[in-house]
Amino acid sequence: MLASIGHLAVVGGLLASVLAVVSASVGWRRGDSGLVEIGRKLVQMACAAAAIGCLVMVFALLTHDFSILYVARNNATTTPPFFSVISLWAALEGSILFWTLLLTGWSSLALWHTRGRHHSLMPMVT
């Protein structure tokens, strides 16, 4: 069950990311502020999905859920909790998941921080 939630979060985040790029690009070219705003919301959804994926993986690492291949390869029952948590970025898959969280998190923060600014440069963005 835990692996299914993580898998759905990763697939949902990928879908949200692709739709965010398409929506923002089409909205920018057409001057449609609604599509650009949908793109912003989709970036936030991708960030939420990455956060869910990371939380599920950390929980799986802490509980030593060896039904997940990543946990089986990068964790042991004798691993202390601190090292179990930081083993999230111990291998390629976990590192990509962690960097995705950082990228979408900073992107969401930048979009939130710059909302409503620079109307002369971006007249269609609300």
Side-chain angles (χ1 to χ4, degrees):
M1 179 67 180
L2 193 64
S4 298
I5 294 170
H7 183 73
L8 285 174
V10 169
V11 171
L14 174 64
L15 182 62
S17 297
V18 169
L19 290 175
V21 169
V22 170
S23 174
S25 298
V26 170
W28 184 265
R29 294 193 97 208
R30 292 183 182 170
D32 186 355
S33 63
L35 283 176
V36 173
E37 187 60 31
I38 289 172
R40 285 176 172 235
K41 300 273 189 227
L42 285 167
V43 169
Q44 294 169 350
M45 287 176 61
C47 180
I52 291 169
C54 281
L55 287 173
V56 166
M57 184 62 77
V58 167
F59 184 76
L61 288 165
L62 285 172
T63 58
H64 306 293
D65 184 0
F66 295 122
S67 66
I68 299 173
L69 185 61
Y70 183 84
V71 177
R73 288 185 178 168
N74 298 297
N75 204 352
T77 55
T78 58
T79 305
F82 174 75
F83 293 110
S84 290
V85 170
I86 64 172
S87 66
L88 172 65
W89 56 87
L92 180 64
E93 298 90 349
S95 181
I96 289 172
L97 183 61
F98 181 68
W99 280 106
T100 300
L101 175 64
L102 291 178
L103 177 66
T104 57
W106 281 109
S107 297
S108 295
L109 184 65
L111 287 172
W112 178 79
H113 186 66
T114 59
R115 71 192 187 290
R117 293 185 185 180
H118 310 294
H119 288 290
S120 61
L121 297 175
M122 302 180 287
M124 78 281 303
V125 179
T126 57

